[in-house]
Structure formats: structure tokens, C-alpha cells
């Protein structure tokens, strides 16, 4: 939680314990799970209910043991639709040794879609209350998918949700889809609390932002920078590239 009080730090999303150890040795201030990377690494689909909370919790335990820095959990919709489900998720992931978790307002169910704003805020409030009941600090990140999915309301709805999450006690606020410095500036100035910005590796996420210098984001007041599933995707892409190169050279 202390990392979110001042300055700017990089939180690297990883999909396996080996990578967790490597990025810690390289200087990462924090790591995080990646729901998309974890799902793909075990042959499942992301955000489709294919990976259970218990599977994700066991995966998190492996990363925590391998890491020398705090680990955040990319908990998708919190593995449930109702506010009381958020408390269950907080207690389970806190038990892994993780230092926090993010909860998004996309339900993961196409029939439900985005939770309405009131419910989305209530879910964050329940998570915060559960975190406060723990005997150790646990960071709750309130995340909205409005910009990422191009949903109705755009930046106005995004800010209203983030501000609601902040008022509910969220320790960090996150709106993936801020692909330019102007939108990042707007969010960091108006969200109402410390902001995480997704800066995926551009070579595997061309629809994302151009490459920003850490100093640029720090100057805008960004507190936390994450990579999402892009590092895992880059690792997979590199493996495929090397195999194609070997085969092109006539290796058998």
C-alpha cells in the first residue's frame, strides 16, 4: 500500500513463477498476475469463467513465493456478481500472501455486460470493507472497462465511476484504454485518487498507446504503471519467431 502514496512505480504482470523471479531481480517494484496470460498458459479463455477463483488463487501463491516484492491480483470481476462475492474474493486472495487485487466493472457475461454504476461502486465498497477487516494492508483497485471496450459514456462515465470507487475507499483507480497523454492527464487529475495506467508493450498491442517514458507519466501524476498481458504475449510471440527462424534455416 505504501507504494501508492507517492511517486511512480512499475508493476509487472507475469504468468509464471520463473518470470516473477526474473522481473524482481531486474528491479520491478511490484508484480501482478495477468488473467489473460494465466488463462492462456493453461489452455483456457480469459474472462469467460474458464478459470476458477481457486485456480487463480493457487497460481497467485506460486508467484508470491517466487517474488521478493508485493504481488497484485488481476481478479477480473471478482469471481461473482454481487457485493458479498467481493468479500469472499478479498479473503481468499489475501490468504495467498498477495498485497492487493483489482476488481473490474465488466461482468464477464455478455448477457449482463457492464454492471450499472451504482452496483459497480457497491462492489468496490464491499471489497474495501473486507480488506479493512484483514490484519494486514491489502490494496483494492477499482477498475472500469468503459474506455477499453468503447462503451457508452466515454470519459465522462469513466470519471464518474472512478470517482465513485474513490469515494468507496478504493486505494488505486484504473481505466485501461487511456491511449494518449491527454486522456491519461484527465484521468490522473480527475479520478479522485492514485491512478494505474496500462502501458502494454507496443509490439504485441498495436492498438494501445505509443511508448511513453516513465518520466512523462510521472510528471502527469501517474502512480502505478502496469503491462497487462502484453509481456506474456511477447514471450509467446518470441518463441514462435525463434522456431520459424530455425525452420527457415533448415533446422530439423
Amino acid at each position: 500500500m505504501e507504494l501508492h502514496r507517492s511517486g511512480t512505480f512499475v508493476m509487472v504482470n507475469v504468468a509464471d513463477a520463473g518470470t516473477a523471479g526474473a522481473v524482481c531481480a531486474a528491479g520491478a517494484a511490484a508484480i501482478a498476475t495477468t488473467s489473460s496470460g494465466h488463462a492462456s498458459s493453461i489452455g483456457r479463455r480469459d474472462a469467460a469463467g474458464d478459470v476458477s477463483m481457486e485456480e487463480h488463487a493457487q497460481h497467485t501463491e506460486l508467484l508470491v513465493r517466487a517474488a521478493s516484492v508485493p504481488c497484485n491480483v488481476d481478479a477480473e470481476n471478482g469471481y461473482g456478481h454481487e457485493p458479498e462475492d467481493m468479500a469472499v474474493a478479498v479473503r481468499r486472495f489475501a490468504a495467498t500472501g498477495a498485497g492487493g487485487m483489482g476488481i473490474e466493472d465488466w461482468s464477464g457475461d455478455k448477457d449482463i455486460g457492464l454492471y450499472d454504476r451504482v452496483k459497480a461502486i457497491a462492489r468496490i465498497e464491499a471489497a474495501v470493507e473486507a480488506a479493512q477487516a484483514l490484519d494486514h494492508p491489502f490494496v483494492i483497485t477499482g477498475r472500469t472497462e468503459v474506455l477499453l471496450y468503447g462503451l457508452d459514456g466515454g470519459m465522462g462515465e469513466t470519471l464518474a465511476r472512478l470517482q465513485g470507487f474513490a469515494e468507496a475507499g478504493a486505494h488505486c483507480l484504473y481505466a485501461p484504454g487511456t491511449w494518449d497523454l491527454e486522456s491519461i492527464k484527465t484521468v490522473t487529475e480527475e479520478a479522485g485518487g492514485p491512478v494505474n495506467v496500462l502501458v502494454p508493450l507496443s509490439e504485441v498491442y498495436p492498438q494501445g498507446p505509443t511508448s511513453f517514458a516513465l518520466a512523462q507519466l510521472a510528471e502527469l501524476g501517474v502512480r502505478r504503471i502496469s503491462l497487462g498481458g502484453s509481456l506474456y504475449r511477447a514471450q509467446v510471440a518470441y518463441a514462435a519467431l525463434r522456431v520459424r527462424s530455425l525452420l527457415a534455416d533448415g533446422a530439423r
Side-chain angles (χ1 to χ4, degrees):
M1 192 171 293
E2 194 63 34
L3 288 169
H4 294 80
R5 300 193 193 282
S6 63
T8 303
F9 71 97
V10 177
M11 181 179 76
V12 183
N13 302 80
V14 298
D16 63 84
T19 304
V23 301
C24 288
I31 65 166
T33 69
T34 158
S35 65
S36 61
H38 176 219
S40 178
S41 72
I42 58 176
R44 312 276 184 82
R45 297 174 300 163
D46 183 35
D50 282 8
V51 179
S52 70
M53 180 169 66
E54 186 56 32
E55 287 175 309
H56 196 159
Q58 291 176 10
H59 170 67
T60 302
E61 289 170 350
L62 295 175
L63 300 188
V64 168
R65 286 200 294 269
S68 56
V69 298
C71 177
N72 188 66
V73 179
D74 174 11
E76 302 185 57
N77 75 328
Y79 296 93
H81 300 306
E82 302 307 319
E84 52 266 33
D85 296 324
M86 303 306 96
V88 173
V90 166
R91 289 191 290 270
R92 180 63 187 97
F93 285 112
T96 69
M101 62 182 277
I103 298 171
E104 62 190 55
D105 56 4
W106 177 256
S107 67
D109 185 331
K110 291 181 179 179
D111 293 331
I112 298 174
L114 196 74
Y115 298 117
D116 68 66
R117 193 194 305 168
V118 172
K119 184 169 187 175
I121 293 171
R123 284 159 39 84
I124 296 299
E125 185 173 23
V128 169
E129 290 177 356
Q132 291 173 338
L134 299 172
D135 60 3
H136 58 276
F138 192 78
V139 173
I140 299 298
T141 299
R143 167 174 167 168
T144 179
E145 306 296 275
V146 172
L147 293 179
L148 185 65
Y149 292 157
L151 302 175
D152 292 344
M155 182 59 79
E157 180 63 21
T158 293
L159 291 174
R161 286 173 179 255
L162 293 178
Q163 290 162 1
F165 298 160
E167 291 173 5
H171 307 102
C172 188
L173 308 167
Y174 182 20
T178 50
W179 301 142
D180 59 84
L181 290 175
E182 187 60 36
S183 61
I184 292 172
K185 182 174 185 290
T186 298
V187 170
T188 54
E189 289 182 348
E190 301 185 36
V195 169
N196 178 96
V197 169
L198 172 66
V199 185
L201 302 177
S202 58
E203 59 267 33
V204 294
Y205 208 97
Q207 66 269 45
T210 54
S211 181
F212 300 133
L214 179 62
Q216 285 180 294
L217 298 177
E219 186 176 353
L220 292 177
V222 173
R223 186 72 73 237
R224 190 175 83 190
I225 298 166
S226 60
L227 305 182
S230 65
L231 179 60
Y232 171 78
R233 291 171 64 182
Q235 291 170 308
V236 172
Y238 181 74
L241 177 65
R242 294 299 300 142
V243 170
R244 291 191 191 100
S245 178
L246 286 169
L247 293 177
D249 287 342
R252 294 290 185 269

